Structure formats: structure tokens, C-alpha cells
Amino acid sequence: MPQSVKKNAEDRMDKAIGALRRDLTSLRAGRVTPSLLDRIQVEYYGAMTPVNQLANLTTPDSRTLLIQPWDKSSMSSIEKAIMKSDLGLTPSNDGIVIRIVIPALTEERRADLVKMTKKFGEEAKIAIRNIRRDANDEIKKLEKAGISEDESRKHQEDIQKFTDKFVAEVEKVLAAKEKEIMEV
């Protein structure tokens, strides 16, 4: 039983790292990609919908993102969602498509992106620590149900080792993304 608790905790921590990587793809470091808009949700007929489910996203060149909505009535909603996002992008609407021209990254913008990267990293670390707490609570319940105190302590130490390993992985992912952002 404690093995399943540890395995579950390890799987959940691995998913937290995957979520961090997904979040970091939405931060532009060099070339523009449609994944830049992955986190943007648009209110569409009363439901929050990802922009990539409402439009075709293309990159005609390295600094332009083209959004071609399937339903023309959703253009203003998509524009508003992009403006409200923390990406700092300004869309232009010509009635058929929405264009987002991404300016070259300035040193100030790069510093802002690094701050956002660190924020995502901190959220991932918090998620990993919460998973550790949940797993330790389950182990303590098993201790009351019949496993020895020494065995409980050993399992909690194993869970701490997983936690340390995954926090180090978060640091490694953040360092790679920061290096990518600061590269000129």
C-alpha cells in the first residue's frame, strides 16, 4: 500500500513538470509559434474556450502570428482576450483575420519574460510540495492503520527524495528557458 502512495506521488510530480513545460512554451523566446496563445481562453457563447479551438493559427513569418476565426462573430472576443492576457500583445483586426506582429524582444521585455518564467517555476514547486504533503498524510494514515513507525519514516524519506529530485528538475527547466530568453 505505501508503494502505491509513493508511485502516485511520483506520477503526480511528473505531471507537474509536464504542466510547467507546457506553460513555458507559451512564453516567446525567439521565433513566434502558435503555442504562444495556448493559455488564452475566449468567452464564446457563454463558455471559456481555448483560442486554438475557435480559429486557425498560423505564422507566415518569424514575427507575425495570424489568427483566422472560423466564426467571424468571435473576432472581437478573441481580440479582447488577447488584449487582457499577460502576454502584452496588441492584435490588429482587418475584418477577415487578426494579425499580431510581435516586436523584437528588448532587454526590458526579456527581463519580464524571465520574471514570468520564475513565477511558473514557483507555482510548479508549490504543486510538488503539495503533492508531498498529501503523500505524507496518506503514509501517516497507514501508520495508524498498521505499518510501523520506522517503515512510515522510511517511506516519508523516499517521498522527500522524489520531491528534491523534481524540484531540481524544475530548476533545470527554468534555467534552460531563462537561457533561451536571454539569448540575443
Side-chain angles (χ1 to χ4, degrees):
M1 189 70 135
Q3 297 301 333
S4 65
V5 170
K6 291 192 304 189
K7 180 66 178 150
N8 181 33
E10 189 174 15
D11 290 344
R12 289 176 57 202
M13 288 179 189
D14 194 42
K15 288 178 184 176
I17 296 290
L20 172 65
R21 285 192 171 109
R22 236 183 354 269
D23 285 344
L24 291 179
T25 61
S26 69
L27 296 178
R28 179 177 76 97
R31 183 171 165 75
V32 174
T33 64
S35 65
L36 194 65
L37 302 178
D38 280 353
R39 293 181 305 145
I40 294 183
Q41 298 280 318
V42 179
E43 187 171 339
Y44 185 66
Y45 290 108
M48 296 307 282
T49 309
V51 74
N52 62 1
Q53 292 181 10
L54 297 174
N56 187 25
L57 306 174
T58 57
T59 54
D61 61 53
S62 66
R63 292 186 41 207
T64 306
L65 187 58
L66 210 65
I67 305 167
Q68 190 169 15
W70 294 309
D71 180 6
K72 301 296 179 206
S73 67
S74 67
M75 285 187 97
S76 64
S77 299
I78 293 172
E79 263 190 303
K80 287 177 187 170
I82 293 169
M83 296 279 280
K84 280 197 269 183
S85 73
D86 59 355
L87 296 175
L89 302 174
T90 307
S92 65
N93 176 351
D94 67 5
I96 299 170
V97 295
I98 298 171
R99 278 185 179 71
I100 302 175
V101 178
I102 312 280
L105 289 177
T106 63
E107 195 63 33
E108 181 181 322
R109 181 66 180 142
R110 288 177 196 275
D112 289 343
L113 289 174
V114 168
K115 284 180 189 174
M116 289 176 67
T117 301
K118 290 182 180 188
K119 182 183 108 189
F120 288 141
E122 196 55 43
E123 289 171 0
K125 288 178 189 176
I126 289 169
I128 289 169
R129 291 181 194 121
N130 286 339
I131 294 166
R132 175 190 61 194
R133 183 196 61 226
D134 294 344
N136 283 338
D137 288 348
E138 288 183 49
I139 294 292
K140 288 174 185 171
K141 286 179 189 173
L142 290 174
E143 183 181 346
K144 291 178 183 174
I147 66 171
S148 70
E149 191 176 315
D150 290 340
E151 193 176 349
S152 171
R153 187 171 313 243
K154 180 191 173 301
H155 291 301
Q156 288 179 28
E157 288 171 359
D158 290 344
I159 291 168
Q160 183 60 46
K161 287 177 188 171
F162 293 153
T163 303
D164 294 342
K165 179 180 96 173
F166 283 105
V167 167
E169 179 70 18
V170 166
E171 290 297 330
K172 192 169 88 173
V173 169
L174 291 178
K177 186 65 175 184
E178 186 175 333
K179 182 181 177 210
E180 182 184 337
I181 289 171
M182 295 309 282
E183 207 171 82
V184 178

